[in-house]
């Protein structure tokens, strides 16, 4: 019976999606029509431009003194082109490979015509005038000659009257001088840039001919001297491997992006769109359970993502097939592809695993997308929320283009990157069973966790039915803003993204250029921007930042909870160190180089005290207060802690940092005071300061806690102690909360 309800809800959601014209356009028309049109349109334009450039006529200004050698070589180039064209016309072949024609002009032609004035008839004067002509696009390339000694001790223009006969000097066996051809062009002008490349090829041909003539004059075999040995290259990679290498860079990125695009609009429509239309209330009045509605929406979004990805693969496959057929045999050979021996059947296992990867990733990205869009109350707001996820997925998807990154057990657990690397290695016939299983299972696991979070969001009436507490107040007229209260969730999200951008760009520059002082200035950014926002929007600073006293029982509970969380975080860090030892060492070395100094007191102030004040005021003050105004307790705590972990810009430290963030947020939530969390934050960072300034001290004094070697027994002992500490700390904090609320109710 309940499965029938889910099927009916799924059918309803699918009908709603397919009734939306925007969804049909994004799911069907874009992959099947727009992508091919863009590809073929771009290909046609590029072909037309290339053909136009190859068949064009280019003016070359010559001011050389080489007995006419370069001019004769240009005439030979043009005559060779004419002969080739005549033979092609006779054989009625395509003339798309027609060569360009070079027209030799003199700089004096422009002077005689009165267009330009030559102020001084010297090498510098002619070069200066030539630059003006090139910039005005009256000619494309300027070539002159310089006479230089072999030791490069002096150089002067060979075409000036002062330099004498350059060719005589070049041909004089007793002379140490030689001719240097100099070309001037404008790289920002397409014709000038292309013409210079043609002139360079002509000069290379002239060099080869002169070299051959000099060797033959000396009685040597020119071919053997210039090519003393032959080179024969043999590529032993099969056509399938070469094709897989090419597809392995492009296909994974296209897959993850198309899956995101395919899930984005259905996710917005089934969550924020339903709120905006006002149909969510009607749906909730039906005799259905919350998880049934969530599963129906989730499967709808996942199916749309899979459909979009498959359509994108079909469209891309058609374009690649057409391109290969379109290419001539020489071009295909250069790519390492032998179409005659190409066996598509070898890609069947890769195709099957790719389909499984698409399904697994679709589950994950659908759940994540729905979690984000469920927080919005309108289409427009949901689009704004989804933008950061789009950027993260696209940037991570580029990992397929980076060489020498392989899929191992570590990389197999990183979302988005693991799918890209799996598809890439399957196409290269290199994937192994272990990492493949980890990739598929981890995506399903992440999807399950996201669905659990989604169910929590849908259990919150404050999220489903916004009560006006989520709007962004920054862009309202200050006179219209009501004084008092705490930030809205919109204010909090704005601070999250705005400070992240400023912190990543400005903070990174400050830290690189200023070292420890830059770290302190970065903390002032974290403190100052939210504080300015709170003052501008007239928030109650005492309520926003929890500037309140605390009871002794609350402080003891905070201390016990912190000790337990610190031990758990240390266990997790030790386990992660076994997987990523190099990453941990690089991170620690980088921090040490930036932060270490001679004075441990200054280090303690910058590394421990400043973050304890600034980060706590932003994350457990401004952001947590904004999230608590809309979301339920654990939703607000987890989101705030996750953002806290992301801000530390270390993927391997994300989970440990997030765990500490949860601990600090719980302390603020139960004590309603930010001061205990500041103290715990300071203690945590202070331990790090001791480890940096006194290497080996912590390991020698507390080997059970700070060892980097994983031990089952020690981890079990620490695990038991940490659980007891956390349990005792939470108990005391709850006592503190009850006592505080009792005083308020009096």
């Amino acid at each position: 019976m309940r499965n029938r309800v889910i099927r009916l809800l799924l059918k309803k959601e699918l009908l709603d999606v397919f009734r939306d014209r925007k969804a049909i356009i994004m799911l069907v028309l874009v992959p099947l029509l727009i992508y091919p049109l863009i590809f073929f349109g771009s290909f046609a334009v590029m072909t037309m431009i290339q053909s136009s450039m190859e068949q064009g006529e280019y003016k070359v200004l010559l001011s050389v003194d080489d007995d006419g050698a370069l001019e004769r070589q240009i005439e030979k180039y043009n005559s060779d082109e004419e002969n080739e064209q005549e033979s092609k016309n006779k054989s009625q072949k395509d003339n798309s490979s027609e060569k360009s024609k070079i027209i030799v002009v003199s700089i004096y032609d422009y002077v005689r015509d009165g267009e330009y004035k030559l102020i001084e008839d010297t090498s510098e004067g002619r070069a200066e005038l030539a630059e003006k002509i090139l910039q005005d696009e009256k000619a494309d390339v300027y070539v002159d000659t310089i006479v230089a000694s072999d030791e490069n001790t002096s150089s002067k223009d060979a075409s000036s009257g002062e330099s004498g006969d350059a060719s005589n000097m070049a041909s004089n066996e007793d002379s140490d001088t030689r001719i240097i051809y100099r070309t001037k062009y404008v790289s920002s002008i397409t014709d000038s840039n292309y013409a210079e490349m043609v002139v360079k090829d002509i000069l290379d041909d002239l060099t080869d001919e002169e070299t051959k003539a000099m060797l033959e004059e000396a009685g040597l075999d020119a071919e053997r001297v210039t090519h003393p040995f032959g080179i024969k290259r043999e590529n032993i990679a099969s056509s399938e491997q070469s094709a897989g290498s090419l597809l392995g860079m492009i296909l994974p990125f296209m897959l993850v992006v198309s899956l995101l695009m395919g899930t984005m609009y259905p996710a917005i429509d089934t969550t924020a769109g339903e709120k905006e239309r006002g149909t969510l209330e009607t749906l909730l009045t039906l005799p259905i359970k919350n998880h049934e509605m969530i599963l129906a929406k989730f499967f709808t979004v996942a199916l749309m993502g899979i459909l979009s990805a498959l359509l994108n693969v079909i469209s891309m496959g058609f374009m690649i097939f057409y391109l290969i057929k379109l290419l001539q045999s020489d071009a295909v050979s250069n790519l390492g592809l032998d179409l005659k021996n190409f066996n598509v059947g070898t890609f069947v296992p890769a195709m099957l695993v790719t389909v499984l990867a698409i399904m697994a990733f679709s589950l994950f990205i659908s759940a994540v997308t729905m979690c984000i869009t469920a927080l919005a109350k309108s289409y427009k707001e949901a689009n704004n929320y989804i933008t950061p996820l789009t950027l993260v997925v696209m940037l991570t998807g580029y990992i397929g283009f980076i060489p020498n990154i392989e899929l191992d057990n570590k990389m197999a657990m990183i979302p988005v990157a693991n799918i890209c690397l799996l598809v890439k290695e399957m196409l290269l016939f290199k994937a192994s069973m272990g990492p493949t299983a980890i990739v598929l299972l981890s995506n399903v696991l992440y999807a399950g966790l996201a669905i659990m979070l989604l169910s929590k969001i849908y259990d919150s009436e404050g999220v489903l039915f916004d009560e006006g507490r989520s709007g962004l107040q920054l862009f309202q007229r200050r006179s219209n803003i009501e004084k008092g209260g705490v930030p809205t969730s919109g204010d909090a999200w704005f601070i999250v993204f705005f400070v992240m951008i400023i912190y990543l760009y400005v903070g990174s520059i400050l830290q690189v250029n200023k070292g420890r002082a830059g770290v302190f200035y970065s903390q002032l950014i974290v403190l100052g921007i939210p504080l300015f926002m709170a003052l501008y929007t007239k928030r109650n600073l005492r309520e926003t930042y929890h500037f309140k006293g605390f009871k002794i029982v609350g402080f003891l509970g905070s201390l016990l909870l912190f000790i337990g969380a610190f031990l758990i975080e240390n266990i997790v860090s030790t386990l992660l160190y076994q997987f990523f030892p190099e990453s941990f060492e690089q991170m620690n070395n980088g921090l040490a180089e930036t932060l270490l100094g001679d004075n441990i007191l200054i280090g303690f102030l910058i590394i421990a005290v400043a973050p304890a004040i600034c980060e706590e005021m932003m994350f457990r003050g401004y952001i947590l207060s904004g999230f608590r105004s809309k979301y339920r307790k654990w939703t607000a705590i987890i989101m705030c802690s996750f953002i806290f972990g992301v801000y530390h810009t270390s993927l391997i430290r994300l989970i440990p940092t997030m765990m500490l963030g949860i601990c600090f947020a719980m302390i603020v939530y139960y004590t309603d005071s930010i001061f205990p969390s500041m103290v715990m934050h300071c203690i945590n960072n202070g331990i790090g300061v001791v480890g940096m300034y006194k290497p080996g001290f912590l390991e020698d004094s507390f080997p059970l806690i700070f060892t980097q070697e994983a031990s089952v027994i020690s981890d079990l002992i620490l695990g038991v102690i940490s659980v007891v500490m956390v349990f005792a700390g939470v108990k005391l904090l709850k006592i503190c909360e009850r006592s505080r609320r009792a005083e308020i109710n009096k």
Side-chain angles (χ1 to χ4, degrees), residues 248 395-408 410-412 414 417-418 420-422 424-425 428 430:
L395 290 174
T396 310
Y398 277 112
I399 195 171
F401 293 93
I402 303 175
N404 300 326
I405 296 184
E406 297 181 352
L407 181 68
D408 52 20
K410 306 170 187 177
M411 295 299 297
I414 301 176
N418 54 11
C420 293
L421 293 176
L422 173 61
K424 180 179 179 179
E425 296 214 346
L428 291 172
K430 293 171 58 179

Side-chain angles (χ1 to χ4, degrees), residues 64-67 69 144-150 156 158 165-171 176-182 206:
V64 297
D65 193 356
D66 60 355
D67 284 347
D144 63 1
T145 48
I146 299 172
V147 173
S149 66
D150 287 344
K156 51 186 175 179
D165 190 341
S167 60
N168 289 338
M169 280 192 266
S171 61
D176 290 333
T177 59
R178 60 174 179 156
I179 287 179
I180 295 177
Y181 287 96
R182 178 176 63 177
L206 178 61

Side-chain angles (χ1 to χ4, degrees), residues 27 31 44 59 110 115 135 160 238 241 255 268 295 346 431 438 480 483 511 546 598 668 729 734:
L27 291 173
K59 292 183 180 180
Y110 294 92
E115 294 184 69
Q135 291 287 357
S160 66
S238 64
Q241 287 176 314
L255 279 177
I268 294 174
L295 286 176
T346 57
I438 294 175
N480 296 334
K483 188 176 181 180
Q511 292 175 26
H546 310 283
D598 297 331
V668 173
K734 286 184 176 181

Side-chain angles (χ1 to χ4, degrees), residues 108-126:
Y108 299 107
D109 294 339
Y110 294 92
V111 177
R112 283 192 295 268
D113 292 343
E115 294 184 69
Y116 296 92
K117 183 177 180 181
L118 183 61
I119 299 175
E120 187 179 359
D121 193 6
T122 62
S123 60
E124 292 81 6
R126 290 191 294 273

